[in-house]
């Protein structure tokens, strides 16, 4: 699914510290953390560095301490960071000493119950700033993700709907609300970890707006993992970040973990067979964009896990897999293209053909969002092997047009004037054209180029669904949620037109639009991406979606 809404001003939460007036002396650095927990930090699924964090229970309170070394595009080295709290988790002080984008930076903050008094020293020049705060905010400095270990402790015992205050040092206080919580299991080489997953919403003052954060903690409140989807930032404990680890939020009776050989790496997958598995038809589920696991878990909702369950109950063998470089699958994602993902899916198809109890003449592809594009490519390459396609929320136009369409919707909801919207739109158009042509980067911010100038984005911008679907011959079902704001409903009709215009024998082309569901195929109120984290892990994929898929495939793949 196209979860990344590409806008030119993708800002990292680890932003440069703001300038403010006054003076103070640079405090001495504190000793580094000893025997801390190691965390890996990722931006856009690529490792950029690590942090070492320790949470200490002291006689008079708590200490969260750590160090970090993070490369581009963050470019921060933290020699030491320490947040001190009293026994009731009321903050007493914060100190950070490090290098931010080549500049020596020290931040010292003291709390007196009503104010946060900051002294920020950049390249030896001290500046001061005070902010009004509540008595017990959790302190989350811009430059130290390890501070979320304190938030993980504070979440223990909290329920959905609970709110707490947080101070984003040295900027402002915000409200954090728990929008959903669920128990999950994380499989690691050393055993299974019982985890609590929290979906959080940070209510920031305008123009920042709300920000979704996902956080996992063990039963003792130790931080396991956190991510900020809109910022494409993730931090995970070293064992959790390992390719051998997998978060199990959903399972289907009969799930069998398998390893599928690919070109230079292995794909980790799950096959689930129906009770009557002799000569069974098979379905391969192909996930959307971003670091998508086999259950296609988004905002805690296991989209593919639920689809797999319903299709198995309808008599299909179902294979779902971790994308390359995600979960337990090998390979690297930084240079991947949509064509590479189609090759990965082809390896899965070839493996499925060889499995006992599977009818190799009755194998269908079910692709969601970007997965619909991958399905088209694979079905065109393997015409004789793909018996049917289901394209869910698939774009009908080039990625270039999709990005601009998505951005237009995002900008329409931002508290900015028409001139600012026009400026941002023009910048995005220049970024897209620079990626496509390979030239024209001169007046584009370097940070935007680092995010956009990738093989995947080029392959997405230039992907032509009309050409891809024209090369296919299989029957097609197109499924679309009428509240989808990421791939708008008109794309379903346009895809159907393209499918019906294909050469060769006429085959079934059907469209099913389901009212009231969003891009994740679950009931929603607005369909907006910002709503995802409020839907909760109990959100259910619409049975109209899964029944439509099962009925269509049963009809077109009859023996």
């Amino acid at each position: 699914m196209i979860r990344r809404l590409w806008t030119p001003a993708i800002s990292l939460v680890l932003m440069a510290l703001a300038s403010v007036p006054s003076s103070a002396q640079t405090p001495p650095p504190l000793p580094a953390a000893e025997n801390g927990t190691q965390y890996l930090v990722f931006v856009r699924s690529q490792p950029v560095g690590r942090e070492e964090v320790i949470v200490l229970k002291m006689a008079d309170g708590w200490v969260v301490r750590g160090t970090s070394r993070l490369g581009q595009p963050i470019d921060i080295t933290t020699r030491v960071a320490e947040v001190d709290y009293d026994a009731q988790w009321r903050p007493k002080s914060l100190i950070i000493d490090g290098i931010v984008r080549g500049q020596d930076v020290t931040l010292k903050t003291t709390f007196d119950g009503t104010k946060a008094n900051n002294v920020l020293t950049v390249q030896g020049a001290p500046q001061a700033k005070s902010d009004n705060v509540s008595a017990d905010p959790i302190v989350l400095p811009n430059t130290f993700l390890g501070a979320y270990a304190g938030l993980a402790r504070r979440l223990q015992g909290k329920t959905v709907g609970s709110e707490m205050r947080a101070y984003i040092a040295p900027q402002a206080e915000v409200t954090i609300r728990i929008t959903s919580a669920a128990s999950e299991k994380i499989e690691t080489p050393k055993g299974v970890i019982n985890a609590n997953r929290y979906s959080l919403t940070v209510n920031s003052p305008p123009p920042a707006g709300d920000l979704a954060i996902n956080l996992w903690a063990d039963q003792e409140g130790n931080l396991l993992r956190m991510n900020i989807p809109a910022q494409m930032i993730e931090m995970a404990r070293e064992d959790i970040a390992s390719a051998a680890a997998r978060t199990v939020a959903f399972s289907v009776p009969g799930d069998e973990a398998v390893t599928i050989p690919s070109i230079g790496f292995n794909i980790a997958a799950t096959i689930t067979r129906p009770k009557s598995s002799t000569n069974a038809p098979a379905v391969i589920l192909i996930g959307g964009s971003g670091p998508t696991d086999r259950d296609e878990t988004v905002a805690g909702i296991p989209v593919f896990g639920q689809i797999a369950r319903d299709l198995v109950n309808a008599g299909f063998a179902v294979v779902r897999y971790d994308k390359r470089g995600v979960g337990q699958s090998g390979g690297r994602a930084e240079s991947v293209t949509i064509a590479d993902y189609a090759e990965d899916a082809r390896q899965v198809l070839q493996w499925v053909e060889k499995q006992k109890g599977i009818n190799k003449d009755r194998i269908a592809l079910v692709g969601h969002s970007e997965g619909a594009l991958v399905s088209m490519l694979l079905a065109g390459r393997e015409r004789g092997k793909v018996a049917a396609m289901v394209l869910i929320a698939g774009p009908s136009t080039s990625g270039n047009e999709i990005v601009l369409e998505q951005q237009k919707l995002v900008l329409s909801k931002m508290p900015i004037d028409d001139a600012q919207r026009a400026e941002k739109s023009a910048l995005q158009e220049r970024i897209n054209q620079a990626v496509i042509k390979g030239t024209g980067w001169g007046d584009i911010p370097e940070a935007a180029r680092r995010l956009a100038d990738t093989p995947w984005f080029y392959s997405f911008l230039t992907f032509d669904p009309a050409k891809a679907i024209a090369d296919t011959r299989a029957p097609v079902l197109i499924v679309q949620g009428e509240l989808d704001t990421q791939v708008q409903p008109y794309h379903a009709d346009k895809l159907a037109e393209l499918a019906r215009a294909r050469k060769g024998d006429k085959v079934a082309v059907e469209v099913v639009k389901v009212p009231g569901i969003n891009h994740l195929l679950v009931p929603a109120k607005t369909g907006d991406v910002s709503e995802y984290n409020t839907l909760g892990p109990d959100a259910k994929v619409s049975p109209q979606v899964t029944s439509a898929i099962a009925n269509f495939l049963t009809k077109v793949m009859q023996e």
Side-chain angles (χ1 to χ4, degrees):
M1 74 207 52
I2 301 167
R3 293 181 303 193
R4 299 189 281 239
L5 297 187
W6 279 88
T7 62
I10 296 175
S11 60
L12 298 175
V13 77
L14 301 172
M15 62 188 72
L17 296 173
S19 294
V20 284
S22 198
S23 63
Q25 297 298 314
T26 303
L30 296 175
E34 296 179 346
N35 302 319
T37 301
Q38 297 289 330
Y39 294 87
L40 300 183
V41 178
F42 302 83
V43 175
R44 296 187 67 243
S45 304
Q46 301 309 310
V48 297
R50 62 175 59 233
E51 296 202 358
E52 183 177 359
V53 183
I54 189 168
V55 179
L56 301 171
K57 179 69 172 75
M58 312 296 283
D60 59 348
W62 295 86
V63 174
V64 180
R65 179 186 296 165
T67 61
S68 72
R69 185 178 294 276
L70 307 176
Q72 296 288 354
I74 297 175
D75 193 15
I76 291 176
T77 297
T78 304
R79 290 183 282 255
V80 64
E82 180 169 312
V83 189
D84 287 8
Y85 297 91
D86 69 13
Q88 284 73 48
W89 282 97
R90 292 177 298 218
K92 298 190 293 183
S93 64
L94 160 70
I95 183 168
I96 295 179
D97 180 73
I99 302 172
V100 179
R101 299 182 178 92
Q103 293 188 308
D104 281 312
V105 173
T106 301
L107 172 64
K108 183 177 181 181
T109 307
T110 57
F111 298 85
D112 62 12
T114 60
K115 285 188 178 294
N117 301 299
N118 302 284
V119 176
L120 174 66
T121 304
V122 180
Q123 292 292 91
Q127 306 162 356
K129 176 177 184 284
S130 293
D131 294 307
N132 294 325
V133 295
S134 53
D136 61 346
I138 191 74
V139 181
L140 301 176
N142 277 330
T143 54
F144 181 50
L145 288 173
Y148 282 84
L151 176 59
R153 293 292 179 114
R154 289 281 297 273
L155 288 171
Q156 277 192 294
K158 301 289 186 181
T159 57
V160 173
S162 298
E163 293 186 348
M164 63 182 70
R165 303 292 287 174
Y167 179 57
I168 312 301
Q171 293 179 310
E173 189 173 77
V174 298
T175 300
I176 297 179
R177 185 177 69 256
I178 303 176
T179 53
S180 68
S183 298
E184 295 184 350
K185 295 182 181 297
I186 302 177
E187 297 175 350
T188 74
K190 294 184 179 180
V192 176
I193 299 172
N194 293 313
N196 295 317
R197 179 190 187 279
Y198 301 92
S199 295
L200 310 171
T201 298
V202 179
N203 300 123
S204 304
D210 292 352
L211 182 71
I213 295 176
N214 299 305
L215 186 147
W216 289 257
D218 66 16
Q219 300 301 300
E220 287 73 44
N222 296 307
L223 177 67
L224 300 173
R225 174 186 172 198
M226 64 80 67
N227 65 38
I228 308 172
Q231 312 287 353
M232 295 177 281
I233 293 176
E234 177 151 1
M235 183 173 78
R237 203 172 72 184
E238 199 166 31
D239 57 334
I240 305 298
S242 163
R246 178 190 172 218
T247 300
V248 183
F250 190 90
S251 62
V252 180
D255 276 354
E256 177 188 352
V258 297
T259 300
I260 300 174
S262 187
I263 300 174
F265 61 93
N266 291 327
I267 295 172
T270 296
I271 184 170
T272 316
R273 302 172 187 267
K275 291 181 179 179
S276 176
S277 60
T278 303
N279 208 35
V283 172
I284 300 171
L285 302 181
I286 302 175
S289 68
T292 306
D293 66 9
R294 70 193 73 182
D295 288 329
E296 203 183 43
T297 306
V298 183
I301 304 168
V303 178
F304 273 2
Q306 296 186 39
I307 291 176
R309 175 199 59 205
D310 292 355
L311 292 182
V312 168
N313 289 339
F316 296 90
V318 179
V319 176
R320 58 200 198 271
Y321 61 94
D322 296 337
K323 290 175 68 172
R324 80 161 67 181
V326 176
Q328 294 174 313
S329 285
R332 300 179 67 87
E334 61 264 31
S335 60
V336 74
T337 65
I338 291 174
D340 294 327
Y341 285 135
E343 178 58 34
D344 295 345
R346 189 171 75 88
Q347 299 299 319
V348 177
L349 173 64
Q350 292 177 342
W351 181 87
V352 172
E353 288 180 308
K354 299 173 185 177
Q355 301 310 299
K356 293 181 180 180
I358 300 295
N359 186 332
K360 68 176 184 178
D361 296 321
R362 300 166 68 205
I363 301 176
L365 308 178
V366 175
H368 186 195
S369 196
E370 180 198 76
L373 308 183
V374 173
S375 297
M376 290 184 233
L377 276 185
L378 179 56
R381 294 175 183 176
E382 301 286 356
R383 289 183 185 177
K385 296 183 177 182
V386 176
M389 285 190 297
V390 178
L391 309 178
I392 305 173
S396 64
T397 57
S398 72
N400 180 41
E401 294 170 89
I402 286 288
V403 168
L404 297 177
E405 181 177 276
Q406 289 181 338
Q407 191 203 39
K408 182 178 180 181
L409 180 63
V410 171
L411 292 177
S412 71
K413 299 180 180 181
M414 292 179 66
I416 57 179
D417 59 35
D418 289 343
Q420 291 173 304
R421 290 189 182 94
E423 181 182 359
K424 292 180 182 297
S425 294
L427 176 57
Q428 185 66 61
E429 290 180 17
R430 295 201 305 276
I431 289 172
N432 289 4
Q433 289 306 307
V435 172
I436 293 169
K437 297 176 180 178
T439 59
W441 290 104
D443 64 341
I444 293 172
E446 181 59 30
R449 180 174 186 175
R450 285 196 297 266
L451 289 169
D453 194 9
T454 68
W456 177 86
F457 197 42
Y458 173 83
S459 73
F460 178 63
L461 290 178
T462 58
F463 192 94
D464 184 0
K467 183 180 184 303
I469 203 167
D471 291 336
T472 70
R473 297 294 180 267
V476 180
L477 171 66
I478 298 162
V479 180
Q480 181 71 43
E482 291 188 351
L483 281 183
D484 193 337
T485 60
Q486 291 189 251
V487 179
Q488 296 182 28
Y490 78 85
H491 286 279
D493 298 318
K494 190 168 182 178
L495 269 181
E497 292 176 11
L498 296 172
R500 293 181 181 121
R502 293 177 294 177
K503 297 178 181 178
D505 297 337
K506 297 301 179 183
V507 295
V509 177
E510 297 183 11
V511 177
V512 173
K513 292 183 180 179
V514 183
I517 69 165
N518 64 10
H519 191 69
L520 307 184
L521 312 178
V522 301
K525 294 180 180 179
T526 68
D528 194 81
V529 175
S530 63
E531 184 185 34
Y532 291 174
N533 263 23
T534 69
L535 301 175
D538 295 330
K540 300 291 191 297
V541 171
S542 170
Q544 291 177 261
V545 171
T546 53
S547 62
I549 296 172
N551 293 339
F552 178 81
L553 294 181
T554 299
K555 178 174 64 177
V556 301
M557 295 203 302
Q558 292 178 347
E559 292 187 84

